[in-house]
mmCIF file of all heavy atoms in Angstrom:
data_model
loop_
_atom_site.group_PDB
_atom_site.id
_atom_site.type_symbol
_atom_site.label_atom_id
_atom_site.label_comp_id
_atom_site.label_asym_id
_atom_site.label_seq_id
_atom_site.Cartn_x
_atom_site.Cartn_y
_atom_site.Cartn_z
ATOM 1 N N LYS A 1 101.315 114.078 83.308
ATOM 2 C CA LYS A 1 100.778 114.104 84.606
ATOM 3 C C LYS A 1 100.752 112.703 85.254
ATOM 4 O O LYS A 1 100.828 112.614 86.444
ATOM 5 C CB LYS A 1 99.321 114.630 84.619
ATOM 6 C CG LYS A 1 99.247 116.176 84.444
ATOM 7 C CD LYS A 1 97.828 116.592 84.556
ATOM 8 C CE LYS A 1 97.683 118.135 84.424
ATOM 9 N NZ LYS A 1 96.308 118.556 84.642
ATOM 10 N N GLU A 2 100.577 111.750 84.413
ATOM 11 C CA GLU A 2 100.498 110.404 84.961
ATOM 12 C C GLU A 2 101.806 109.933 85.757
ATOM 13 O O GLU A 2 101.732 109.266 86.780
ATOM 14 C CB GLU A 2 100.290 109.285 83.844
ATOM 15 C CG GLU A 2 101.301 109.165 82.806
ATOM 16 C CD GLU A 2 101.190 110.214 81.753
ATOM 17 O OE1 GLU A 2 100.464 111.164 81.922
ATOM 18 O OE2 GLU A 2 101.914 110.107 80.696
ATOM 19 N N TYR A 3 102.924 110.453 85.349
ATOM 20 C CA TYR A 3 104.216 110.195 86.047
ATOM 21 C C TYR A 3 104.292 110.909 87.444
ATOM 22 O O TYR A 3 104.714 110.296 88.427
ATOM 23 C CB TYR A 3 105.423 110.590 85.203
ATOM 24 C CG TYR A 3 105.593 109.735 84.004
ATOM 25 C CD1 TYR A 3 105.412 110.272 82.730
ATOM 26 C CD2 TYR A 3 106.051 108.414 84.088
ATOM 27 C CE1 TYR A 3 105.562 109.467 81.581
ATOM 28 C CE2 TYR A 3 106.170 107.614 82.999
ATOM 29 C CZ TYR A 3 105.970 108.175 81.700
ATOM 30 O OH TYR A 3 106.144 107.376 80.651
ATOM 31 N N VAL A 4 103.688 112.071 87.476
ATOM 32 C CA VAL A 4 103.732 112.821 88.684
ATOM 33 C C VAL A 4 102.838 112.098 89.715
ATOM 34 O O VAL A 4 103.120 111.970 90.893
ATOM 35 C CB VAL A 4 103.283 114.256 88.455
ATOM 36 C CG1 VAL A 4 103.238 115.035 89.802
ATOM 37 C CG2 VAL A 4 104.105 114.950 87.505
ATOM 38 N N GLN A 5 101.692 111.704 89.232
ATOM 39 C CA GLN A 5 100.670 111.012 90.121
ATOM 40 C C GLN A 5 101.216 109.710 90.593
ATOM 41 O O GLN A 5 100.953 109.270 91.767
ATOM 42 C CB GLN A 5 99.297 110.832 89.421
ATOM 43 C CG GLN A 5 98.672 112.088 89.076
ATOM 44 C CD GLN A 5 97.446 111.922 88.182
ATOM 45 O OE1 GLN A 5 97.150 110.781 87.784
ATOM 46 N NE2 GLN A 5 96.689 112.947 87.882
ATOM 47 N N ALA A 6 101.991 109.041 89.762
ATOM 48 C CA ALA A 6 102.508 107.690 90.109
ATOM 49 C C ALA A 6 103.813 107.870 90.993
ATOM 50 O O ALA A 6 104.253 106.855 91.563
ATOM 51 C CB ALA A 6 102.779 106.899 88.897
ATOM 52 N N GLY A 7 104.398 108.963 91.021
ATOM 53 C CA GLY A 7 105.697 109.080 91.730
ATOM 54 C C GLY A 7 106.829 108.434 90.955
ATOM 55 O O GLY A 7 106.963 108.615 89.774
ATOM 56 N N LEU A 8 107.390 107.563 91.684
ATOM 57 C CA LEU A 8 108.615 106.735 91.046
ATOM 58 C C LEU A 8 108.054 105.654 90.132
ATOM 59 O O LEU A 8 108.714 105.152 89.344
ATOM 60 C CB LEU A 8 109.435 106.217 92.142
ATOM 61 C CG LEU A 8 110.512 107.118 92.710
ATOM 62 C CD1 LEU A 8 111.264 106.434 93.903
ATOM 63 C CD2 LEU A 8 111.477 107.677 91.725
ATOM 64 N N LYS A 9 106.786 105.253 90.373
ATOM 65 C CA LYS A 9 106.210 104.160 89.646
ATOM 66 C C LYS A 9 105.624 104.711 88.310
ATOM 67 O O LYS A 9 104.861 105.619 88.347
ATOM 68 C CB LYS A 9 105.185 103.402 90.394
ATOM 69 C CG LYS A 9 105.746 102.531 91.537
ATOM 70 C CD LYS A 9 104.633 101.811 92.192
ATOM 71 C CE LYS A 9 105.167 100.926 93.315
ATOM 72 N NZ LYS A 9 104.071 100.117 93.976
ATOM 73 N N THR A 10 106.011 104.099 87.168
ATOM 74 C CA THR A 10 105.427 104.498 85.938
ATOM 75 C C THR A 10 104.209 103.657 85.784
ATOM 76 O O THR A 10 103.843 102.721 86.437
ATOM 77 C CB THR A 10 106.446 104.131 84.785
ATOM 78 O OG1 THR A 10 106.643 102.674 84.830
ATOM 79 C CG2 THR A 10 107.691 104.846 84.983
ATOM 80 N N PRO A 11 103.236 104.127 84.800
ATOM 81 C CA PRO A 11 101.973 103.415 84.677
ATOM 82 C C PRO A 11 102.196 101.963 84.243
ATOM 83 O O PRO A 11 101.443 101.107 84.772
ATOM 84 C CB PRO A 11 101.347 104.265 83.463
ATOM 85 C CG PRO A 11 101.921 105.576 83.499
ATOM 86 C CD PRO A 11 103.378 105.412 84.033
ATOM 87 N N ALA A 12 103.227 101.762 83.518
ATOM 88 C CA ALA A 12 103.413 100.324 83.098
ATOM 89 C C ALA A 12 103.874 99.497 84.349
ATOM 90 O O ALA A 12 103.523 98.272 84.406
ATOM 91 C CB ALA A 12 104.418 100.249 82.006
ATOM 92 N N SER A 13 104.555 100.065 85.225
ATOM 93 C CA SER A 13 105.141 99.235 86.364
ATOM 94 C C SER A 13 104.059 98.889 87.398
ATOM 95 O O SER A 13 104.231 98.065 88.212
ATOM 96 C CB SER A 13 106.282 100.027 87.064
ATOM 97 O OG SER A 13 105.730 101.117 87.736
ATOM 98 N N GLN A 14 102.900 99.555 87.283
ATOM 99 C CA GLN A 14 101.842 99.225 88.217
ATOM 100 C C GLN A 14 101.284 97.949 87.848
ATOM 101 O O GLN A 14 100.598 97.270 88.682
ATOM 102 C CB GLN A 14 100.766 100.361 88.139
ATOM 103 C CG GLN A 14 101.239 101.748 88.684
ATOM 104 C CD GLN A 14 100.246 102.765 88.499
ATOM 105 O OE1 GLN A 14 99.201 102.558 87.857
ATOM 106 N NE2 GLN A 14 100.419 103.884 89.113
ATOM 107 N N ASP A 15 101.363 97.507 86.611
ATOM 108 C CA ASP A 15 100.784 96.087 86.182
ATOM 109 C C ASP A 15 101.811 95.006 86.305
ATOM 110 O O ASP A 15 101.496 93.883 85.982
ATOM 111 C CB ASP A 15 100.284 96.304 84.741
ATOM 112 C CG ASP A 15 99.184 97.312 84.637
ATOM 113 O OD1 ASP A 15 98.347 97.430 85.658
ATOM 114 O OD2 ASP A 15 99.031 97.959 83.538
ATOM 115 N N THR A 16 103.038 95.343 86.635
ATOM 116 C CA THR A 16 103.959 94.266 86.802
ATOM 117 C C THR A 16 104.342 94.007 88.236
ATOM 118 O O THR A 16 104.218 94.911 89.116
ATOM 119 C CB THR A 16 105.307 94.640 86.096
ATOM 120 O OG1 THR A 16 105.584 96.015 86.368
ATOM 121 C CG2 THR A 16 105.185 94.468 84.589
ATOM 122 N N VAL A 17 104.782 92.882 88.514
ATOM 123 C CA VAL A 17 105.093 92.468 89.979
ATOM 124 C C VAL A 17 106.585 92.257 90.030
ATOM 125 O O VAL A 17 107.133 91.451 89.229
ATOM 126 C CB VAL A 17 104.402 91.174 90.283
ATOM 127 C CG1 VAL A 17 104.643 90.698 91.764
ATOM 128 C CG2 VAL A 17 102.862 91.421 90.077
ATOM 129 N N SER A 18 107.112 92.902 90.978
ATOM 130 C CA SER A 18 108.570 92.806 91.173
ATOM 131 C C SER A 18 108.904 91.519 91.985
ATOM 132 O O SER A 18 108.054 91.138 92.806
ATOM 133 C CB SER A 18 109.193 94.011 91.866
ATOM 134 O OG SER A 18 110.501 93.745 92.238
ATOM 135 N N ILE A 19 110.036 90.847 91.682
ATOM 136 C CA ILE A 19 110.469 89.693 92.479
ATOM 137 C C ILE A 19 110.583 90.045 93.919
ATOM 138 O O ILE A 19 110.207 89.276 94.817
ATOM 139 C CB ILE A 19 111.810 89.234 91.977
ATOM 140 C CG1 ILE A 19 111.648 88.606 90.565
ATOM 141 C CG2 ILE A 19 112.435 88.177 92.827
ATOM 142 C CD1 ILE A 19 112.973 88.268 89.864
ATOM 143 N N ALA A 20 110.980 91.258 94.251
ATOM 144 C CA ALA A 20 111.194 91.625 95.669
ATOM 145 C C ALA A 20 109.980 91.766 96.346
ATOM 146 O O ALA A 20 110.014 91.738 97.651
ATOM 147 C CB ALA A 20 111.981 93.014 95.662
ATOM 148 N N ASN A 21 108.835 91.867 95.785
ATOM 149 C CA ASN A 21 107.544 91.926 96.425
ATOM 150 C C ASN A 21 106.975 90.675 96.841
ATOM 151 O O ASN A 21 105.969 90.549 97.477
ATOM 152 C CB ASN A 21 106.523 92.709 95.546
ATOM 153 C CG ASN A 21 106.854 94.235 95.367
ATOM 154 O OD1 ASN A 21 107.518 94.805 96.265
ATOM 155 N ND2 ASN A 21 106.493 94.890 94.322
ATOM 156 N N ASN A 22 107.576 89.576 96.249
ATOM 157 C CA ASN A 22 107.106 88.247 96.480
ATOM 158 C C ASN A 22 107.900 87.527 97.530
ATOM 159 O O ASN A 22 109.085 87.886 97.730
ATOM 160 C CB ASN A 22 107.106 87.446 95.099
ATOM 161 C CG ASN A 22 106.204 87.961 94.191
ATOM 162 O OD1 ASN A 22 105.173 88.628 94.503
ATOM 163 N ND2 ASN A 22 106.490 87.850 92.888
ATOM 164 N N SER A 23 107.369 86.504 98.122
ATOM 165 C CA SER A 23 108.171 85.736 99.028
ATOM 166 C C SER A 23 109.170 84.856 98.176
ATOM 167 O O SER A 23 108.919 84.447 97.072
ATOM 168 C CB SER A 23 107.229 84.770 99.852
ATOM 169 O OG SER A 23 107.926 83.803 100.504
ATOM 170 N N TRP A 24 110.209 84.500 98.819
ATOM 171 C CA TRP A 24 111.224 83.652 98.189
ATOM 172 C C TRP A 24 110.609 82.225 97.845
ATOM 173 O O TRP A 24 111.089 81.608 96.936
ATOM 174 C CB TRP A 24 112.529 83.495 99.062
ATOM 175 C CG TRP A 24 112.281 82.886 100.445
ATOM 176 C CD1 TRP A 24 112.026 83.572 101.564
ATOM 177 C CD2 TRP A 24 112.010 81.568 100.781
ATOM 178 N NE1 TRP A 24 111.813 82.757 102.648
ATOM 179 C CE2 TRP A 24 111.853 81.442 102.185
ATOM 180 C CE3 TRP A 24 112.235 80.336 100.053
ATOM 181 C CZ2 TRP A 24 111.689 80.285 102.865
ATOM 182 C CZ3 TRP A 24 112.002 79.149 100.672
ATOM 183 C CH2 TRP A 24 111.793 79.061 102.078
ATOM 184 N N LYS A 25 109.596 81.951 98.538
ATOM 185 C CA LYS A 25 108.979 80.556 98.305
ATOM 186 C C LYS A 25 108.306 80.527 96.899
ATOM 187 O O LYS A 25 108.068 79.469 96.358
ATOM 188 C CB LYS A 25 107.920 80.328 99.371
ATOM 189 C CG LYS A 25 108.607 80.072 100.773
ATOM 190 C CD LYS A 25 107.509 79.855 101.792
ATOM 191 C CE LYS A 25 108.170 79.684 103.251
ATOM 192 N NZ LYS A 25 107.149 79.429 104.248
ATOM 193 N N THR A 26 107.880 81.722 96.430
ATOM 194 C CA THR A 26 107.336 81.700 95.079
ATOM 195 C C THR A 26 108.402 81.620 94.019
ATOM 196 O O THR A 26 108.047 81.430 92.799
ATOM 197 C CB THR A 26 106.503 83.017 94.878
ATOM 198 O OG1 THR A 26 107.337 84.141 95.013
ATOM 199 C CG2 THR A 26 105.408 83.089 95.913
ATOM 200 N N VAL A 27 109.655 81.884 94.279
ATOM 201 C CA VAL A 27 110.689 81.805 93.409
ATOM 202 C C VAL A 27 111.454 80.450 93.344
ATOM 203 O O VAL A 27 111.636 79.858 92.382
ATOM 204 C CB VAL A 27 111.757 82.934 93.723
ATOM 205 C CG1 VAL A 27 112.986 82.872 92.743
ATOM 206 C CG2 VAL A 27 111.129 84.338 93.632
ATOM 207 N N PHE A 28 111.694 79.973 94.581
ATOM 208 C CA PHE A 28 112.434 78.720 94.684
ATOM 209 C C PHE A 28 111.320 77.635 95.118
ATOM 210 O O PHE A 28 111.004 77.499 96.411
ATOM 211 C CB PHE A 28 113.557 78.785 95.702
ATOM 212 C CG PHE A 28 114.533 79.848 95.474
ATOM 213 C CD1 PHE A 28 114.531 81.080 96.086
ATOM 214 C CD2 PHE A 28 115.356 79.751 94.415
ATOM 215 C CE1 PHE A 28 115.491 82.017 95.855
ATOM 216 C CE2 PHE A 28 116.311 80.680 94.108
ATOM 217 C CZ PHE A 28 116.351 81.922 94.808
ATOM 218 N N THR A 29 110.898 76.868 94.241
ATOM 219 C CA THR A 29 109.704 76.016 94.471
ATOM 220 C C THR A 29 110.201 74.629 94.761
ATOM 221 O O THR A 29 109.402 73.734 95.105
ATOM 222 C CB THR A 29 108.811 75.970 93.195
ATOM 223 O OG1 THR A 29 109.604 75.564 92.070
ATOM 224 C CG2 THR A 29 108.236 77.306 93.055
ATOM 225 N N ASP A 30 111.515 74.306 94.670
ATOM 226 C CA ASP A 30 111.964 72.989 95.076
ATOM 227 C C ASP A 30 111.735 72.767 96.491
ATOM 228 O O ASP A 30 112.248 73.497 97.352
ATOM 229 C CB ASP A 30 113.528 72.871 94.762
ATOM 230 C CG ASP A 30 114.015 71.505 94.873
ATOM 231 O OD1 ASP A 30 113.777 70.884 95.896
ATOM 232 O OD2 ASP A 30 114.752 71.071 93.924
ATOM 233 N N ASP A 31 111.014 71.708 96.900
ATOM 234 C CA ASP A 31 110.638 71.473 98.343
ATOM 235 C C ASP A 31 111.856 71.216 99.192
ATOM 236 O O ASP A 31 111.880 71.664 100.291
ATOM 237 C CB ASP A 31 109.692 70.360 98.424
ATOM 238 C CG ASP A 31 110.107 68.979 97.761
ATOM 239 O OD1 ASP A 31 111.083 69.083 97.012
ATOM 240 O OD2 ASP A 31 109.578 67.958 98.057
ATOM 241 N N LYS A 32 112.867 70.500 98.718
ATOM 242 C CA LYS A 32 114.069 70.232 99.544
ATOM 243 C C LYS A 32 114.861 71.464 99.741
ATOM 244 O O LYS A 32 115.334 71.715 100.839
ATOM 245 C CB LYS A 32 114.971 69.244 98.802
ATOM 246 C CG LYS A 32 114.277 67.872 98.508
ATOM 247 C CD LYS A 32 114.020 67.165 99.806
ATOM 248 C CE LYS A 32 113.237 65.898 99.547
ATOM 249 N NZ LYS A 32 113.951 64.789 99.575
ATOM 250 N N LEU A 33 114.916 72.364 98.688
ATOM 251 C CA LEU A 33 115.611 73.681 98.837
ATOM 252 C C LEU A 33 114.893 74.550 99.867
ATOM 253 O O LEU A 33 115.484 75.250 100.663
ATOM 254 C CB LEU A 33 115.726 74.364 97.507
ATOM 255 C CG LEU A 33 116.334 75.739 97.454
ATOM 256 C CD1 LEU A 33 117.659 75.754 98.150
ATOM 257 C CD2 LEU A 33 116.298 76.322 96.055
ATOM 258 N N ALA A 34 113.482 74.529 99.772
ATOM 259 C CA ALA A 34 112.676 75.391 100.734
ATOM 260 C C ALA A 34 112.944 74.955 102.136
ATOM 261 O O ALA A 34 112.975 75.779 103.070
ATOM 262 C CB ALA A 34 111.191 75.207 100.356
ATOM 263 N N VAL A 35 113.044 73.633 102.394
ATOM 264 C CA VAL A 35 113.360 73.141 103.829
ATOM 265 C C VAL A 35 114.711 73.707 104.248
ATOM 266 O O VAL A 35 114.834 74.202 105.484
ATOM 267 C CB VAL A 35 113.359 71.592 103.864
ATOM 268 C CG1 VAL A 35 113.895 71.121 105.122
ATOM 269 C CG2 VAL A 35 112.012 71.141 103.611
ATOM 270 N N LEU A 36 115.745 73.742 103.394
ATOM 271 C CA LEU A 36 117.034 74.323 103.804
ATOM 272 C C LEU A 36 117.004 75.700 104.062
ATOM 273 O O LEU A 36 117.601 76.245 104.990
ATOM 274 C CB LEU A 36 118.068 73.971 102.675
ATOM 275 C CG LEU A 36 118.442 72.518 102.393
ATOM 276 C CD1 LEU A 36 119.253 72.454 101.124
ATOM 277 C CD2 LEU A 36 119.148 71.974 103.546
ATOM 278 N N ILE A 37 116.313 76.492 103.287
ATOM 279 C CA ILE A 37 116.160 77.980 103.437
ATOM 280 C C ILE A 37 115.405 78.243 104.752
ATOM 281 O O ILE A 37 115.826 79.155 105.570
ATOM 282 C CB ILE A 37 115.467 78.623 102.246
ATOM 283 C CG1 ILE A 37 116.372 78.455 100.960
ATOM 284 C CG2 ILE A 37 115.230 80.091 102.553
ATOM 285 C CD1 ILE A 37 115.686 78.966 99.721
ATOM 286 N N ASP A 38 114.339 77.564 104.935
ATOM 287 C CA ASP A 38 113.557 77.765 106.145
ATOM 288 C C ASP A 38 114.427 77.479 107.451
ATOM 289 O O ASP A 38 114.374 78.295 108.400
ATOM 290 C CB ASP A 38 112.360 76.802 106.249
ATOM 291 C CG ASP A 38 111.143 77.475 105.639
ATOM 292 O OD1 ASP A 38 110.917 78.623 105.845
ATOM 293 O OD2 ASP A 38 110.269 76.785 105.114
#
């Protein structure tokens, strides 16, 4: 039942954070690179 309630998300995936849910600034921390991307 836990899979049905979670839909596509499994119980384990609720405790993990996907890269896609975060800003690119949390991935690329180099300040010079951040200026270029901005």
Side-chain angles (χ1 to χ4, degrees):
K1 284 186 178 181
E2 64 274 13
Y3 289 111
V4 179
Q5 295 172 354
L8 281 175
K9 291 185 178 180
T10 60
S13 68
Q14 294 176 349
D15 298 327
T16 44
V17 179
S18 172
I19 291 175
N21 293 331
N22 297 330
S23 169
W24 57 264
K25 294 180 181 179
T26 63
V27 178
F28 304 104
T29 56
D30 190 311
D31 56 342
K32 300 295 175 96
L33 175 58
V35 170
L36 292 173
I37 294 175
D38 267 330

